[in-house]
Amino acid sequence: MKSFMESGAPVPRRGMLIFVIAGALLMAASIMAGAIMSPEGKDIPVVLADGEVITPPWYITIDGEKIALVDSQQTAQEVVGDVIEEYRRGSGTVLDIEVKEETQTEKMEIKNGDKAPDILTEKEAKELLSEGKNGESYLTVVTTEEQVQQEPIEFEQEYKPEPDMYIGEKKVETEGKEGTKEVVKKVVKENGRSIREEVLEEEVLEEPQEEIVLTGTKNYDGYGGGTGNYSGDNVSYDPSAVYETLGNPIDNIYISSGFGQRWGRLHSGIDFALAQGNSIYAADDGQVYFSGVSGGYGNLVKIDHGNGMQTYYAHCSKLLVSQGQHVSKGEKIALVGSTGNSTGPHLHFEVIINGNCVNPLDFLDL
Ligand SMILES: [Zn+2]
């Protein structure tokens, strides 16, 4: 590719009247002076067949092909220069202009008595060059521009757990607002069409305002978070090292809702869907320290296993043990029901270690 900015002044080649002009437009005046001073460049008038007297016209050649004929070398140079300069009117500051093709001027060989040649006006020649034969320009002008634009910065959403709203419910507490940044880009265009972009610099003009979305954590069986503190994804215990596998609290396992882990206090146990009246068993040896009605839990049994672990059995239709009673692993303690905040018969089963609700699946062998 020939750089428009870097090209030097035209040099006649081996005495032929061919001058490289692409890239030399800024120096058009001196080029002309040079052309006129050159002995070969002297434009001697000729008398045409129809009696008209003209100086020899000049071709504009592109990659060696004669594209247009105009009245003088100066016109030829101006036509090419104007077509290239047209692309300087970009949307940014033009850092560089290059032309892919090689453009030259070439004097027409003409002598006395020749037929009048078909000479284009400057305007016609410009149109021909920029529109080409099929609307495609004869020249590929590559501009490198620096553009400065303001662009929006998207806002982020923060989810805030809301225990008074059900899981799946959302409400915008604080509306988000886009910010603004100033972006400096280098854009490379071919004949005005962007072909490459590169971000050089970004400056934040206005920070975006984060959107705060309240997100329900209340489980449909009536409570989110249970009683203990949720331990999160990274539990600090080693189940296999300290605790034996628990016995299954029911016979036919179907998990209808897993242990929640997303926003801290989502679902403090797991739900086993089971028909009303099915048996519930103690998961391990221990002592019943609660057996009664407890808010959203409905009929609830709490067993302390004496090793820092407790288990909860909620929504029971019937309680079969009483407070203070010792129970063995696998012993029947209650019947499945739908008491408390529950939409259908199921067992809500919780495992609590050192006051933290943990995922019961870590301790069950289903
Ligand atoms: Zn539950």
Side-chain angles (χ1 to χ4, degrees):
M1 187 182 286
K2 229 166 150 32
S3 172
F4 179 64
M5 302 303 278
E6 288 162 15
S7 291
V11 177
R13 292 182 184 174
R14 282 184 243 105
M16 290 177 69
L17 297 177
I18 296 173
F19 298 81
V20 177
I21 58 170
L25 279 304
L26 296 176
M27 301 156 83
S30 61
I31 290 159
M32 280 312 299
I36 289 162
M37 299 308 274
S38 155
E40 294 94 341
K42 245 187 185 156
D43 290 336
I44 300 158
V46 294
V47 184
L48 300 174
D50 61 5
E52 192 188 353
V53 179
I54 62 163
T55 53
W58 286 67
Y59 289 108
I60 296 167
T61 73
I62 296 173
D63 284 343
E65 193 191 340
K66 289 167 181 160
I67 301 300
L69 185 67
V70 292
D71 65 355
S72 69
Q73 189 186 33
Q74 185 180 4
T75 304
Q77 290 170 333
E78 282 174 4
V79 165
V80 174
D82 286 355
V83 169
I84 293 169
E85 284 299 303
E86 194 62 29
Y87 292 106
R88 192 181 284 279
R89 299 183 199 161
S91 45
T93 309
V94 176
L95 304 173
D96 187 37
I97 298 187
E98 293 177 340
V99 182
K100 280 188 171 178
E101 295 79 12
E102 189 177 21
T103 59
Q104 295 178 325
T105 57
E106 185 182 334
K107 193 181 196 173
M108 188 187 194
E109 300 288 344
I110 193 162
K111 53 187 190 300
N112 290 329
D114 281 353
K115 254 176 60 185
D118 190 9
I119 298 171
L120 300 179
T121 64
E122 193 170 328
K123 183 166 174 281
E124 287 167 342
K126 277 185 208 168
E127 282 172 10
L128 179 64
L129 253 63
S130 55
E131 285 163 28
K133 283 171 196 153
N134 315 311
E136 185 87 5
S137 174
Y138 278 109
L139 297 176
T140 311
V141 181
V142 182
T143 51
T144 305
E145 301 172 12
E146 190 178 274
Q147 290 183 356
V148 183
Q149 286 174 344
Q150 289 202 359
E151 291 182 6
I153 309 172
E154 284 187 14
F155 57 82
E156 306 214 336
Q157 280 190 323
E158 198 203 326
Y159 293 96
K160 191 168 144 190
E162 175 49 64
D164 288 337
M165 282 159 51
Y166 283 108
I167 291 168
E169 285 182 340
K170 287 194 172 84
K171 195 176 135 195
V172 174
E173 187 186 56
T174 308
E175 292 271 357
K177 195 166 155 281
E178 282 182 343
T180 316
K181 63 184 171 184
E182 189 173 84
V183 183
V184 182
K185 278 185 199 168
K186 194 172 93 176
V187 181
V188 179
K189 290 179 178 174
E190 266 187 20
N191 289 353
R193 284 186 295 270
S194 174
I195 55 163
R196 210 162 52 243
E197 284 192 17
E198 186 191 333
V199 172
L200 301 176
E201 239 182 272
E202 277 190 8
E203 193 196 340
V204 175
L205 301 177
E206 197 187 351
E207 293 282 356
Q209 164 76 52
E210 188 179 58
E211 181 156 284
I212 297 174
V213 182
L214 296 176
T215 308
T217 58
K218 184 153 80 172
N219 197 269
Y220 286 102
D221 60 9
Y223 41 89
T227 52
N229 299 313
Y230 169 59
S231 65
D233 291 337
N234 302 311
V235 290
S236 58
Y237 61 89
D238 178 358
S240 59
V242 184
Y243 300 100
E244 286 180 14
T245 302
L246 295 174
N248 291 343
I250 47 155
D251 287 319
N252 298 306
I253 301 295
Y254 176 77
I255 297 172
S256 58
S257 180
F259 184 73
Q261 308 190 14
R262 280 191 74 182
W263 299 300
R265 288 170 71 85
L266 191 57
H267 188 212
S268 54
I270 51 177
D271 292 344
F272 297 101
L274 210 65
Q276 177 99 5
N278 272 281
S279 301
I280 299 170
Y281 310 106
D284 205 351
D285 294 351
Q287 190 171 27
V288 176
Y289 68 102
F290 183 88
S291 181
V293 179
S294 176
Y297 283 107
N299 289 326
L300 175 69
V301 176
K302 297 181 182 181
I303 300 173
D304 184 9
H305 301 289
N307 52 0
M309 177 190 275
Q310 290 93 39
T311 50
Y312 287 12
Y313 312 78
H315 310 306
C316 305
S317 60
K318 194 172 180 193
L319 301 170
L320 305 175
V321 292
S322 48
Q323 195 174 329
Q325 186 179 334
H326 184 87
V327 291
S328 304
K329 186 175 183 176
E331 190 176 326
K332 193 169 171 177
I333 54 169
L335 300 181
V336 171
S338 186
T339 55
N341 278 326
S342 169
T343 51
H346 74 285
L347 168 65
H348 172 92
F349 179 61
E350 282 185 27
V351 176
I352 294 134
I353 292 179
N354 298 327
N356 294 319
C357 294
V358 296
N359 190 346
L361 293 180
D362 289 346
F363 301 90
L364 292 170
D365 184 15
L366 306 174

